[in-house]
Amino acid sequence: MWRFLLPAGVFALLVAVFLVGLGKDPTLVPSPLVGRAAPEFSLPRLDDPSQTFSHRDLLGKTSLVNVWGTWCSGCRQEHDTLLALARDSGIPIYGINWKDDQQLAREWLATLGNPYVAVGVDQDGRTAIDWGVYGAPETFLIGPDGTVLYKHIAPISLAVWREQFLPRIAAAGSGQ
Amino acid sequence: MMPQAVRVLVLAGLLLGARPGFSIDTDAKLADPVQQATYERLTSEVRCLVCQNQTIGDSSAPLAADLRREIRQMIEAGRSEEEIKVFLLDRYGDFVLYKPRFKATTAALWLAPLLLLVAGGLGLGRIIRRRAALPVPPDDEPGDDQPSADGTFDDRPIDDRPVGHRDEPPTAAKG
């Protein structure tokens, strides 16, 4: 009896492990930042380098921090969604322009539209390391107390917004 | 044509002078050899999350270069290897180390090979014991179970049979 049940059981276990495991995307690495305070930073602003964009700007309201660059095709892909969110969601979107040509970045926003309340320039990638960024685009949801509520790796879409962001914003208790 | 000895010497000289001609990490070495060793150890243990099957020492991704620079600066600032690992774990999670820390979420990863080895060993032991307990079948006794030309069975071991027996290889082929 056991000599049939045991291999069958082991096989079933392997099938279950592979069903779960192979369905996952190995390029999505969960961020240890979720549930912790957003990293401290202070970056010169893209529109006016004499001013800064820092973690203190994120306090007091739920906000998004979007890491982007003009070299990043996924950022172009999600740009219209960001514009729509900036217009309709009531949630301020901040940008971190990651290792980019600032002139190109300014042209990008002038041509395609600017969804950002403020954009900080991370020229050497130091701030991106503190945020655990390993690709663009990445979008962080920040609570009013400055806590990282969620990190989305990949272009954001309205479906992603509805399924991943809205429930967390509602749970944080301050949708607006 | 150079004499053999000269050619060997030239080749040896060339090999002695050989250095890896191509390296991803082109930064200058750290002044302190101990720090340089720490740097090399860390860059060979930290995963590049952009190209996940490479270490940051092997990867040409811009993020890997940024992380190498960051690690170098931390080493120069006197931070310990442990502090640097914690710095990376805090930002990128367990996956950033090729050898993840042992904790609840990584226990299965670390213990599964050991458990499989023990289970395999127990299974193998059982099979061996069961086989050892079986009686040796008479068929496996030395001898020949094919009838000889005269219709009788020759039960003698091969080595005991007379030379020229029909089963023997030609004499010349015998070792």
Side-chain angles (χ1 to χ4, degrees):
Chain A
M1 188 64 172
W2 273 110
R3 48 187 301 159
F4 300 107
L5 272 185
L6 193 67
V10 169
F11 180 71
L13 189 71
L14 279 179
V15 168
V17 167
F18 286 136
L19 266 182
V20 175
L22 296 180
K24 289 182 176 172
D25 182 348
T27 62
L28 300 183
V29 181
S31 173
L33 259 63
V34 173
R36 300 209 315 238
E40 297 186 0
F41 65 94
S42 180
L43 295 172
R45 282 177 59 144
L46 181 65
D47 54 352
D48 180 1
S50 68
Q51 293 190 54
T52 57
F53 163 51
S54 82
H55 58 282
R56 281 181 292 276
D57 295 323
L58 303 174
L59 294 173
K61 62 210 174 300
T62 302
S63 59
L64 294 182
V65 174
N66 176 251
V67 180
W68 66 286
T70 58
W71 43 266
C72 145
S73 59
C75 302
R76 178 66 191 85
Q77 205 180 322
E78 69 174 5
H79 198 76
D80 290 340
T81 307
L82 291 179
L83 287 170
L85 292 177
R87 194 176 56 234
D88 302 328
S89 73
I91 307 250
I93 305 174
Y94 295 92
I96 292 179
N97 184 238
W98 185 30
K99 292 175 84 78
D100 202 359
D101 179 319
Q102 291 181 47
Q103 188 52 40
L104 289 179
R106 278 188 285 267
E107 282 169 19
W108 163 293
L109 295 182
T111 316
L112 301 172
N114 183 356
Y116 304 109
V117 178
V119 175
V121 177
D122 184 21
Q123 198 63 58
D124 59 4
R126 184 59 190 76
T127 299
I129 289 177
D130 280 342
W131 284 76
V133 171
Y134 64 91
E138 287 186 6
T139 305
F140 295 84
L141 178 64
I142 312 294
D145 59 350
T147 306
V148 179
L149 299 177
Y150 176 61
K151 173 185 182 179
H152 182 72
I153 299 162
I156 194 169
S157 64
L158 289 177
V160 166
W161 176 255
R162 275 193 304 272
E163 288 160 23
Q164 305 294 339
F165 284 83
L166 284 182
R168 290 180 169 91
I169 294 169
S174 76
Q176 296 298 316
Chain B
M1 205 58 188
M2 283 186 286
Q4 181 83 5
V6 176
R7 277 190 288 169
V8 168
L9 279 176
V10 168
L11 180 62
L14 287 174
L15 287 175
L16 276 176
R19 295 281 183 277
F22 174 73
S23 171
I24 294 291
D25 186 0
T26 51
D27 294 340
K29 281 183 189 297
L30 288 152
D32 178 355
V34 177
Q35 289 190 341
Q36 175 66 19
T38 307
Y39 174 76
E40 283 171 9
R41 200 161 47 242
L42 277 168
T43 54
S44 67
E45 283 178 15
V46 175
R47 184 189 304 276
C48 171
L49 290 176
V50 179
C51 26
Q52 298 185 342
N53 292 329
Q54 283 184 317
T55 64
I56 60 167
D58 288 337
S59 173
S60 58
L63 178 63
D66 286 355
L67 285 174
R68 285 197 299 265
R69 184 199 59 208
E70 200 63 32
I71 288 173
R72 167 183 297 268
Q73 286 171 358
M74 283 190 280
I75 291 173
E76 283 171 341
R79 309 266 297 268
S80 75
E81 200 168 334
E82 177 63 21
E83 284 174 326
I84 295 173
K85 282 185 180 172
V86 169
F87 171 92
L88 292 164
L89 287 171
D90 278 350
R91 285 157 181 75
Y92 293 99
D94 293 323
F95 194 57
V96 76
L97 292 184
Y98 263 91
K99 270 191 218 161
R101 298 290 163 87
F102 184 84
K103 54 189 205 183
T105 49
T106 59
L109 184 69
W110 280 108
L111 296 181
L114 193 66
L115 289 178
L116 286 174
L117 188 69
V118 169
L122 288 176
L124 185 67
R126 263 183 60 153
I127 291 171
I128 289 173
R129 271 197 308 280
R130 198 184 303 162
R131 293 230 174 128
L134 290 177
V136 179
D139 279 3
D140 287 356
E141 296 287 357
D144 192 349
D145 40 21
Q146 293 296 317
S148 302
D150 59 5
T152 62
F153 283 89
D154 184 350
D155 280 341
R156 285 171 296 179
I158 296 273
D159 289 347
D160 293 347
R161 293 178 200 168
V163 176
H165 186 275
R166 66 181 177 83
D167 287 346
E168 292 286 300
T171 318
K174 284 183 79 175

